[in-house]
Amino acid sequence: MDQEVVALVCGTCKSLSERMKTESELFNLVGFENEVMEWSDFENKVPPLDEPRWMRSDHPPVQGQIRTVKVHHPFYMKTGEPFWILYTPVSSSLNGWDSHPEEIEQSSFVQCSIERVLERNDFKAWLRVKVLEVWAIKDYDRRFPERDGGNGYLESFEIFGDPYIFQYRDWLYICAGAQGDLGVWGLVKQRDNQYHMLVYGDWNFHKNDAFGGNILLPKHRIEGWIEQAKQKDHYEIVE
């Protein structure tokens, strides 16, 4: 049986999604960011593709399930082909971890494969997917071997100027961008007086990628960012 390609179109420039790279030198997991896929509790009957008001699921994916999801540009994948997606619970998927930091430890990378295309147009698609793996983010500093992150990904934050940082318990969320057109973000866990970047995000109009791993960050550099953010009122502690 031929594999159907689900490749969606950018609503702004009408360009077609391209296949993303699935490997990284530093990170163990490479996938789509959570905004690319929305989780539902529907089965085979779904709302129209252009209907914005429908009930997002508050049931987390479980290995072995078949789920119905809605995908958007820059999604590109073939039926039956495994891919990773960052999953966040419904409140933080709509409003961000900075609004619902209690959902950080309920978030995960989920590996799926497309079982069937229910409906699609150029810009969106309803899919039935099989959940192959669910790996909780909070465990990555113990699941994955530690890698040195002194170079490479940190420079991308500094390109955009002063990062915004919020702290919730042992977590730091760091983000930087350019006028809503492109940006980067990282989720960092503090443990044993060290800083581990467990998730990294990289986005622009035609890319919305998320990476999972265990990157040991230079302590002096991160603490320098924190002090700088506090001085410029770019630092927030969330209770």
Side-chain angles (χ1 to χ4, degrees), residues 19-183:
R19 177 183 289 275
M20 68 175 177
K21 296 180 180 178
T22 57
E23 294 183 357
S24 165
E25 292 181 1
L26 277 181
F27 290 92
N28 300 81
L29 302 177
V30 182
F32 296 106
E33 231 243 79
N34 63 319
E35 294 180 3
V36 175
M37 179 185 286
E38 299 175 276
W39 296 80
S40 83
D41 290 325
F42 304 123
E43 292 190 3
N44 296 312
K45 186 176 181 180
V46 293
L49 286 164
D50 292 326
E51 172 56 62
R53 296 189 180 92
W54 53 274
M55 185 66 72
R56 276 66 176 173
S57 176
D58 60 359
H59 297 109
V62 175
Q63 184 177 1
Q65 285 182 332
I66 305 294
R67 296 287 297 268
T68 299
V69 299
K70 189 177 185 180
V71 293
H72 311 261
H73 175 82
F75 188 84
Y76 181 116
M77 198 55 57
K78 294 179 180 178
T79 55
E81 186 176 34
F83 65 92
W84 290 96
I85 180 83
L86 173 63
Y87 166 80
T88 60
V90 63
S91 295
S92 52
S93 70
L94 296 172
N95 302 301
W97 278 325
D98 48 349
S99 296
H100 295 276
E102 73 282 358
E103 293 188 348
I104 289 173
E105 296 196 357
Q106 301 170 35
S107 302
S108 58
F109 272 75
V110 180
Q111 189 184 51
C112 302
S113 63
I114 301 171
E115 295 280 295
R116 187 157 56 96
V117 179
L118 297 178
E119 291 188 28
R120 65 180 293 183
N121 59 24
D122 288 344
F123 307 102
K124 307 163 191 171
W126 281 108
L127 309 174
R128 291 285 277 172
V129 300
K130 184 171 185 178
V131 179
L132 305 175
E133 300 276 358
V134 180
W135 290 3
I137 286 169
K138 62 184 177 64
D139 300 328
Y140 289 0
D141 56 323
R142 302 186 187 277
R143 174 185 283 272
F144 297 125
E146 200 173 88
R147 296 183 181 178
D148 181 15
N151 297 306
Y153 287 91
L154 292 187
E155 280 67 24
S156 57
F157 288 90
E158 295 173 341
I159 289 172
F160 298 110
D162 304 325
Y164 162 78
I165 302 174
F166 91 76
Q167 179 179 352
Y168 174 75
R169 298 180 180 172
D170 295 332
W171 296 98
L172 295 174
Y173 178 79
I174 306 171
C175 62
Q179 300 179 344
D181 296 332
L182 69 164

